[in-house]
Amino acid sequence: MDEVDRAFAVWPRAGFLPSEVRDRAAYDGPLEIGAGQTSSQPRTVADMLRLLDVRPGQHVLDVGSGSGWTTALLAHLAGPTGRVRGVEVVDALVGLGRGHLDRTGQPWASIEPAVPGVLGLPEHAPYDRILVSAMATQLPDALRAQLADDGVLVVPVGGVMLRVTRDEVTEHGYYRFVPLV
């Protein structure tokens, strides 16, 4: 069992879903969490986390934190010496995600509302890792600029999962997500 599998075991998706879909938590597909948003397919989340390769002590940004599940998983991977900041554009989901995250007892992680017209949380940059759980139409330079010199950004762009560093962009399969706003 690798670290991503351990994080999934500690923080199963069911605890981050609305009660009406919780019985479908094991379904390997997206599930509605409200406001037209979804909790991503578990296999996709696992793929993204493995590409991101979060290490203990890292500063991580979770763009599109939704229900708080990915933020909790990232916090588990970064550990108490790390810092994880989730950001969410849908106001109703900020409260939902915060409530779920608070119950995990990981005070080194938080969820903040997005600032209109601003992608990410540039005031807290640089980040060692950035995860984006929504589909961009083009590589978001604003997020790439928030990376530390040796940082990694994982983002779906135009249906293709990209792993991005300051010097390189690699492709890692085809995926579907809600649009990045």
Side-chain angles (χ1 to χ4, degrees):
M1 180 181 289
D2 70 2
E3 287 304 313
V4 171
D5 288 337
R6 278 193 263 292
F8 269 65
V10 173
W11 304 117
R13 180 163 80 154
F16 298 85
L17 293 172
S19 58
E20 60 270 14
V21 296
R22 204 167 284 149
D23 63 334
R24 297 182 55 218
Y27 167 64
D28 194 27
L31 293 173
E32 291 286 329
I33 57 172
Q37 302 300 302
T38 61
S39 172
S40 296
Q41 177 176 353
R43 186 169 20 108
T44 298
V45 173
D47 290 348
M48 293 174 77
L49 293 177
R50 287 188 176 98
L51 284 172
L52 201 60
D53 190 28
V54 175
R55 304 294 172 97
Q58 289 186 322
H59 187 205
V60 182
L61 177 63
D62 182 20
V63 178
S65 56
S67 70
W69 184 43
T70 55
T71 310
L73 294 168
L74 290 165
H76 181 86
L77 295 169
T81 60
R83 179 71 174 99
V84 178
R85 298 175 191 277
V87 62
E88 176 56 55
V89 71
V90 179
D91 289 337
L93 294 181
V94 173
L96 177 74
R98 281 178 173 166
H100 290 150
L101 186 62
D102 288 350
R103 286 191 289 280
T104 72
Q106 299 179 102
W108 57 93
S110 62
I111 295 174
E112 301 176 32
V115 174
V118 177
L119 191 54
L121 295 170
E123 67 274 18
H124 299 293
Y127 298 97
D128 300 303
R129 300 291 187 266
I130 300 175
L131 178 69
V132 182
S133 297
M135 184 73 68
T137 56
Q138 60 186 18
L139 182 60
D141 290 330
L143 290 177
R144 196 174 194 181
Q146 294 174 50
L147 282 175
D149 288 340
D150 59 348
V152 175
L153 163 66
V154 172
V155 55
V157 177
V160 178
M161 190 63 67
L162 302 181
R163 184 178 191 274
V164 180
T165 65
R166 291 251 185 221
D167 304 320
E168 182 179 46
V169 177
T170 55
E171 296 183 359
H172 299 273
Y174 296 91
Y175 295 84
R176 292 181 57 194
F177 281 87
V178 295
L180 179 64
V181 179

